[in-house]
Amino acid sequence: MFAHVEPFAGDPILALVEVFNADDRPHKVNLSIGIYFDEQGHIPVMRSVQQAEARVVAKGGPKPYLPIEGAANFRSAVQRLLFGAGHRVLRDRRVATIQSVGSSGGLKVGADFIKRWFPQAEVWVSDPTWDNHRSMFEGAGIQVNNYPYYDADGGGVRFADMLEALQRIPKGSVVLLHACCHNPTGVDLSRTQWDQLIPLLKERALLPYLDLAYQGFGDGIDEDAYAVRALADAGASFFVANSFSKSMSVYGERCGALSVVCPDARQAEHVLGQMKFTVRRNYSSPPIHGGQIVAHVLDDADLRPMWEAELAAMRERILVMRKALHGVISAKVPGRNFDYFLTQRGMFSYTGLSALQVDRLREQYAVYLVRSGRICVAGLNSGNVERTAQAMAEVLAA
Ligand code: LMR
């Protein structure tokens, strides 16, 4: 019956985690997946999240199905987090938000929506982008193309080329943009660049689709929402998929949302309705538990500042690791500029290491990174950064 079913080649990120887990070398270092590890190399349990969960559990009660669109308190807390409480788009009820199964779930619901309501539209993603973006949109039956983004020589953004490409793509195309902490490069658009890009998106009737999976890991919770708010301020219609996996360290709870900013309340209502239809046909409705933890953290007067401080500490620890890696590797490989480790934002750095060098790092040094050369800086700690930098230096010198 299943003889024709082909083997799965494995996911470029998740398959590495399986190999890492099976590696019995005690000094192994996991810089592959986008997960924040603490100084001890553990996935932190945030105090704010733990307390919110204790309250959710203490409250108890039955577990009915949630509405298709998710829990009302979660959805409104997400909207306030993204746009800022009282933003005009919220007052005007122009935002359709669903609670999704991680932001991946949100991205996919949005992709299905696009395929249904913009059947001719193609999606344009940055070159490079998160490995799963292409696969997700292609999985929804949408043609995926690249726009220029990362400047491998200078380590910045090929902004002029990006604008030029977006001038030429068909009107009505969907443009996937990383709101902050670009995955995989760590190279973000500056505010000035967003301010130049947004009028072009509007003028060409392009449909921005923001992925905001790392809010709080760049410059701050509000700072990292700059693109979301600037698009909303400009009166644009757009999608934004956001995640709490990293910012609340609740990966396996699959907490995310998809919001669509619409021109008016009536369109928002219709869009919400069609997203509900998509969800119903896929998994019916989201789970309760994680979303309630998130809503408690966001809404509670004590837990909210506690969470913000914990997230700030994570962000700062990543910066410390960036500096440490930069310091050690610069000393070991003189004459080469590693300043990009300092200027990139969020969990990721694009190292410029080739796939073969990445393989050597894994095989000889038990240092795991994605074959694109992306490292998750949040996997570094003061116990492994020196050794990792040494290994990278040796591989670069070979
Ligand atoms: C990553 O890029 O490593 C994370 O977003 C985790 C994932 O699902 O790929």
Side-chain angles (χ1 to χ4, degrees):
M1 184 66 84
F2 303 116
H4 62 292
V5 177
E6 295 170 4
F8 174 43
D11 180 83
I13 297 173
L14 300 184
L16 260 180
V17 178
E18 289 171 27
V19 182
F20 176 84
N21 289 340
D23 188 333
D24 53 14
R25 290 174 286 181
H27 57 283
K28 62 186 179 179
V29 182
N30 186 5
L31 308 181
S32 61
I33 192 161
I35 289 185
Y36 177 90
F37 296 95
D38 63 17
E39 247 316 276
Q40 284 69 45
H42 299 135
I43 297 176
V45 179
M46 296 170 84
R47 268 197 329 130
S48 51
V49 172
Q50 200 171 26
Q51 291 188 20
E53 181 162 38
R55 290 184 202 180
V56 170
V57 171
K59 197 165 154 229
K63 295 189 185 294
Y65 292 121
L66 279 183
I68 301 174
E69 68 275 24
N73 62 342
F74 174 91
R75 294 166 56 230
S76 55
V78 165
Q79 291 186 337
R80 288 191 297 276
L81 179 73
L82 294 180
F83 300 95
H87 193 285
R88 203 173 58 235
V89 292
L90 301 183
R91 284 202 317 271
D92 295 346
R93 311 182 79 78
R94 289 203 278 122
V95 186
T97 298
I98 59 157
Q99 176 181 342
S100 61
V101 182
S103 63
S104 295
L107 282 168
K108 178 62 165 67
V109 171
D112 286 344
F113 177 92
I114 287 164
K115 182 65 187 168
R116 170 71 178 84
W117 296 100
F118 300 84
Q120 305 307 326
E122 298 186 356
V123 174
W124 298 75
V125 300
S126 61
D127 176 24
T129 192
W130 181 45
D131 288 302
N132 211 26
H133 278 147
R134 173 173 285 277
S135 162
M136 244 172 201
F137 283 95
E138 285 178 350
I142 303 173
Q143 165 76 34
V144 180
N145 313 286
N146 288 326
Y147 59 81
Y149 188 78
Y150 180 63
D151 172 10
D153 297 329
V157 178
R158 295 170 57 194
F159 191 59
D161 294 340
M162 173 179 174
L163 290 187
E164 214 245 316
L166 298 181
Q167 282 285 3
R168 281 184 286 104
I169 68 175
K171 283 199 168 184
S173 297
V174 177
V175 183
L176 192 112
L177 296 153
H178 300 238
C180 69
C181 308
H182 186 270
N183 180 1
T185 67
V187 179
D188 284 339
L189 294 180
S190 67
R191 288 187 175 198
T192 320
Q193 288 171 329
W194 280 111
D195 293 346
Q196 274 178 266
L197 173 64
I198 290 170
L200 168 70
L201 295 169
K202 278 201 75 187
E203 178 195 307
R204 301 230 43 244
L206 300 172
L207 184 48
Y209 198 141
L210 297 184
D211 186 347
L212 179 55
Y214 294 86
Q215 189 175 4
F217 283 93
D219 294 312
I221 293 171
D222 289 318
E223 290 83 347
D224 291 351
Y226 180 78
V228 179
R229 296 176 191 180
L231 276 163
D233 291 345
S237 296
F238 62 100
F239 289 73
V240 51
N242 77 295
S243 171
F244 295 97
S245 297
K246 342 268 175 178
S247 63
M248 291 200 188
S249 196
V250 288
Y251 305 88
E253 294 290 353
R254 311 308 294 132
C255 298
L258 175 67
S259 299
V260 187
V261 181
C262 304
D264 59 44
R266 189 166 159 274
Q267 291 183 41
E269 202 183 307
H270 293 182
V271 168
L272 182 66
Q274 290 300 330
M275 292 200 298
K276 285 166 64 171
F277 186 35
T278 305
V279 168
R280 177 65 171 150
R281 285 189 293 180
N282 276 285
Y283 54 87
S284 206
S285 61
I288 298 178
H289 189 73
Q292 285 311 297
I293 297 173
V294 169
H296 272 71
V297 171
L298 293 179
D299 278 343
D300 186 89
D302 299 325
L303 298 184
R304 175 68 178 251
M306 194 190 288
W307 169 64
E308 291 184 3
E310 290 180 288
L311 182 52
M314 289 155 82
R315 175 170 69 245
E316 278 150 25
R317 199 191 77 78
I318 292 177
L319 288 176
V320 171
M321 285 304 116
R322 284 186 176 280
K323 287 195 186 117
L325 180 63
H326 176 263
V328 180
I329 200 163
S330 300
K332 289 189 195 299
V333 189
R336 194 171 158 149
N337 187 352
F338 292 99
D339 287 355
Y340 55 81
F341 283 129
L342 303 176
T343 53
Q344 294 163 342
R345 277 287 164 277
M347 284 194 192
F348 301 118
S349 265
Y350 228 34
T351 58
L353 290 167
S354 69
L356 284 179
Q357 289 171 321
V358 169
D359 291 344
R360 268 199 71 201
L361 273 174
R362 189 183 59 253
E363 285 157 14
Q364 289 183 17
Y365 301 91
V367 174
Y368 283 71
L369 39 148
V370 182
R371 289 193 90 224
S372 63
R374 181 192 87 170
I375 60 170
C376 177
V377 186
L380 292 172
N381 56 53
S382 39
N384 67 22
V385 64
E386 173 93 27
R387 190 157 30 81
T388 302
Q390 174 71 36
M392 282 170 69
E394 283 175 24
V395 164
L396 279 169

